[in-house]
Amino acid sequence: MDYRDSPAEAEFRQRMRNWLASVAGQFPTSGDEYWAKQGEWHRALYEAGFFGASWPKEFGGHELAPVYDVIVDEELAAAGAPPRPSLGYLIQGLGRHGSKELQQRFLPGMINGTERWCQGFSEPGAGSDLASLTTTATLDGDHYRIDGHKIWTSYSDVADYCLLLARTDPDAPRHRGISAFIIDMKQPGVQQRPLKMISGITTEFGQVTFDGATVAAERMVGQPGEGWKLAMTVVGHEREPSTLGYSARYAKTVRLLSERLEGPAPEELTWAAVQSEMLRLHVRRRLSEQLDGVTHGPDGSLDKLLMTWVDQAVGHAALTVAGTSDTEMFGGYLYSRAQSVMGGTSQIQKNIIAARILGLGV
């Protein structure tokens, strides 16, 4: 495979480097300061032409090949800039399952950053076993009443809208009684409480309680009972490293740690270097498959498992080399521990791989 840039890709890369040099230092890269300015960063990327590269022009994207998103992620990592806001999986979910009216209304604001979004899937008793969720949506005329409790809801405190899963038919088999909605987060009946992370960050995740909040029936995404299909689309794209774009950041962390060494590299750093290079090549292969029209279903579980291994290998290397005095590196280590839980636990990913890819009938 030839992974070198085409002339058009090289021009795009250089243009982005020039832009990043012009905004260097204006946006925090970590901590609560990053989350406070993430919306501003999203809009700056979009206005410069570097957000929504592969999404449809109809909704404000640039409709370029997926490799351009990877170029964006690589250049952000190389420049030490904040990461690209992770919204692709929500856009894929609404783009595949939403009506044309919902797409036209909501996708432009989602892509250009003028409307903020969160994802209302996980619950205190329904994380990896998402189908056991208990939040209810009860039809009342032309609206649904929403009652329930969501957790680990990213950006919930600043979100304008939530892509929400709720149970509309308690008597149906649990995967078939779930529907998806676009619900306004700035309304009575929506209460939020931030979750302080072990790394000290207080604004990334929140708990959200819905107590009589309402959503118009016309804002159901898909048909009643089709929420599980949307959920699988969303988590499938959420688990792909080519969508998350973290591989370049892992490699950069390994390089930064290597520069601190005065003697031989410890085993943890050597293994992190091997793992990050493995993921880089895996992402390139996935991109090549996408360009050839190959689509992935349960393969996203393989990607997620690889991401977890690499993130935690790099985190262990950071702890070994930098210790606990470097707050950013130590924060990366602490955050890496969550990779085996968030986005579907490693055990769940292994079950999916066994049942749906290997056909082992577990």
Side-chain angles (χ1 to χ4, degrees), residues 269-288:
L269 183 57
T270 302
W271 183 236
V274 171
Q275 291 280 80
S276 61
E277 177 64 7
M278 173 275 297
L279 185 65
R280 185 185 73 84
L281 296 175
H282 175 75
V283 168
R284 291 290 182 173
R285 180 174 63 180
R286 282 284 192 250
L287 283 170
S288 179

Side-chain angles (χ1 to χ4, degrees), residues 173-190:
R174 62 183 196 149
H175 291 85
R176 298 179 184 175
I178 298 170
S179 301
F181 299 89
I182 295 172
I183 186 169
D184 187 343
M185 293 291 285
K186 311 296 186 185
Q187 64 165 298
V190 180

Side-chain angles (χ1 to χ4, degrees), residues 224-248:
E226 292 185 353
W228 189 253
K229 293 180 181 179
L230 176 140
M232 293 302 96
T233 296
V234 168
V235 299
H237 284 279
E238 185 181 13
R239 293 166 182 165
E240 291 181 353
S242 59
T243 299
L244 294 173
Y246 287 147
S247 58

Side-chain angles (χ1 to χ4, degrees), residues 311-329:
D311 198 347
Q312 294 184 347
V314 173
H316 276 291
L319 183 63
T320 300
V321 174
T324 60
S325 58
D326 186 319
T327 56
E328 187 163 346
M329 286 291 185

